[in-house]
Amino acid sequence: MKYTIPLLLTILMPTASYSAEPDDTSVLVIAHRGASGYLPEHTLEAKMLAYGMGADYLEQDLVLTRDDIPIVLHDIHLDTVTDVRAKFADRHREDGRFYAIDFTLAEIKQLAVFERFDHRTAKAIYPNRFPGHLGNFRIPTFEEELELISGLNRSTQKTVGIYPELKAPGFHHEHGKDLATIVLSILGKVEYEPLKKRVFMQCFDQKETRRLKEELACPYKIVQLLGDEPWLKPTAPVAELQQHLQQIAQYADGIGPSINTLFYKSESNTITATETIQQAHNFHLFVHAYTYRTDAVATPFSSFEELHLTSVKSGINGMFTDFPDVTRHLLNNLEENR
């Protein structure tokens, strides 16, 4: 039987209630690229499904086209989620990659979107997810997604927020394009006013994140994304961790670290939280961790349930999850049993 998206939303709507306006003590469910565990990432269909599954926020990774249109795409490359190699075989650069910035929006709209695959081998990254090369999915623009979320918020009387990420701003600057300014301009035109109050802006580039605050007067909450920073390791001196967090607190409201940097197995073989969460809170920074996946549970956890329980006990404020329905269910159960 084939289900339409509205019917899917009804079927998959969680039975436990959730707040459309989470309070400061709620652990936020952030749909990582939408409900990407079930449908191809960053498609409007994946965002609609995540909305119906009870996500508090929907993430948008943003890059620019050649004609300066922000599109919702995780990479600056097109060849890991689309059929660009088949449709525009001669448009790759010297490194063999196909870059979104080299294509107009009209050209990108001709591409089909599939479940993420390795561009070298064409093998699916997560083989048990949505079947590769099936469906009729497209890359949406940022404005198209904002219209969808604003419309759903109006029709459902909820206020699910948005969580844009500026992808590779330095790369865009090298090509004479200012991704941050364009994105902020679009956000300023959003018609549905409540949505403007539910925005987190995130970026890995510390220079650009600081620029959001100091140069562009970004009116939204700013999140400094973190990778495998040496000062996040459990063996790093606490003073070094504090120094970096103090600097981040000058321009950001929160941090977005990987789960893998927040927990480790101690000598007694117990899972232990590093100092990062507590120290971040000491500097009034919230912590939104990535990425929660049922089919790739973060080390050193033995189950998705254990990961959620430990995260909540450790004080994590938000979870980027590929499976927003499962995360919502587990958080509801933890709240009920508290």
Side-chain angles (χ1 to χ4, degrees):
M1 178 183 293
K2 293 184 177 179
Y3 295 118
T4 63
I5 287 297
L7 183 54
L8 273 173
L9 296 185
T10 302
I11 293 170
L12 293 167
M13 186 70 74
T15 55
S17 63
Y18 74 97
S19 170
E21 298 283 357
D23 58 38
D24 291 338
T25 63
S26 300
V27 178
L28 297 177
V29 176
I30 306 159
H32 183 244
R33 312 181 203 174
S36 54
Y38 303 103
L39 287 168
E41 65 185 53
H42 281 320
T43 57
L44 292 182
E45 291 85 349
K47 299 303 170 64
M48 284 188 278
L49 189 55
Y51 193 107
M53 287 176 165
D56 297 307
Y57 283 82
L58 306 178
E59 183 192 36
Q60 301 80 32
D61 292 315
L62 301 174
V63 302
L64 291 177
T65 64
R66 192 171 73 188
D67 41 355
D68 294 337
I69 307 298
I71 56 174
V72 187
L73 184 72
H74 181 262
D75 306 311
I76 57 176
H77 306 111
L78 292 162
D79 48 18
T80 54
V81 291
T82 76
D83 60 350
V84 64
R85 193 177 299 278
K87 287 185 175 154
F88 296 97
D90 60 343
R91 295 284 294 278
H92 60 79
R93 293 194 180 187
E94 290 184 2
D95 60 2
R97 305 300 302 274
F98 295 77
Y99 290 76
I101 207 168
D102 295 333
F103 293 77
T104 65
L105 178 62
E107 291 171 329
I108 285 174
K109 284 297 186 181
Q110 298 176 40
L111 303 177
V113 174
F114 304 113
E115 182 65 33
R116 176 167 289 273
F117 56 89
D118 187 315
H119 72 277
R120 295 159 297 190
T121 65
K123 292 184 178 179
I125 301 299
Y126 298 101
N128 293 323
R129 295 191 179 183
F130 196 88
H133 298 82
L134 289 184
N136 184 26
F137 306 102
R138 294 292 182 268
I139 295 174
T141 67
F142 186 36
E143 288 188 271
E144 287 170 342
E145 184 159 324
L146 288 177
E147 288 176 0
L148 171 68
I149 299 169
S150 293
L152 284 170
N153 280 344
R154 184 182 294 275
S155 62
T156 63
Q157 295 300 298
K158 295 172 184 169
T159 311
V160 173
I162 61 173
Y163 214 124
E165 179 183 344
L166 303 176
K167 301 295 289 189
F171 171 84
H172 285 88
H173 284 305
E174 289 172 3
H175 288 75
K177 297 182 183 296
D178 190 341
L179 174 62
T181 297
I182 292 173
V183 169
L184 288 175
S185 175
I186 290 173
L187 282 172
K189 299 174 184 176
V190 172
E191 293 183 5
Y192 192 52
E193 194 64 29
L195 182 59
K196 293 184 179 180
K197 300 175 183 177
R198 299 289 304 283
V199 180
F200 289 104
M201 291 289 295
Q202 59 175 334
C203 187
F204 277 101
D205 188 322
Q206 187 166 341
K207 180 180 178 181
E208 194 72 6
T209 315
R210 183 181 285 274
R211 177 174 175 251
L212 281 173
K213 176 76 171 183
E214 299 176 352
E215 180 184 331
L216 301 180
C218 175
Y220 313 111
K221 290 182 179 178
I222 296 172
V223 181
Q224 179 62 60
L225 292 173
L226 302 173
D228 190 20
E229 320 294 345
W231 48 271
L232 289 177
K233 296 184 182 301
T235 54
V238 174
E240 186 178 357
L241 171 67
Q242 291 172 328
Q243 179 184 2
H244 284 278
L245 292 175
Q246 185 177 33
Q247 292 174 353
I248 291 171
Q250 295 173 6
Y251 62 86
D253 302 283
I255 58 172
S258 166
I259 301 167
N260 296 324
T261 67
L262 297 178
F263 303 98
Y264 67 100
K265 272 199 173 179
S266 65
E267 293 181 359
S268 61
N269 208 34
T270 59
I271 296 176
T272 305
T274 67
E275 287 278 341
T276 301
I277 299 171
Q278 183 57 56
Q279 292 297 334
H281 290 168
N282 289 346
F283 288 101
H284 307 289
L285 295 165
F286 55 75
V287 180
H288 293 171
Y290 67 89
T291 305
Y292 291 73
R293 297 183 171 108
T294 63
D295 50 1
V297 178
T299 304
F301 297 94
S302 60
S303 70
F304 205 50
E305 293 79 2
E306 181 186 39
L307 170 57
H308 281 69
L309 176 60
T310 308
S311 296
V312 170
K313 285 184 175 180
S314 301
I316 280 177
N317 308 106
M319 302 177 178
F320 282 88
T321 175
D322 288 7
F323 300 86
D325 58 334
V326 184
T327 292
R328 170 60 62 198
H329 175 72
L330 291 173
L331 289 178
N332 284 344
N333 285 347
L334 288 171
E335 181 65 27
E336 291 171 3
N337 295 325
R338 183 177 296 178

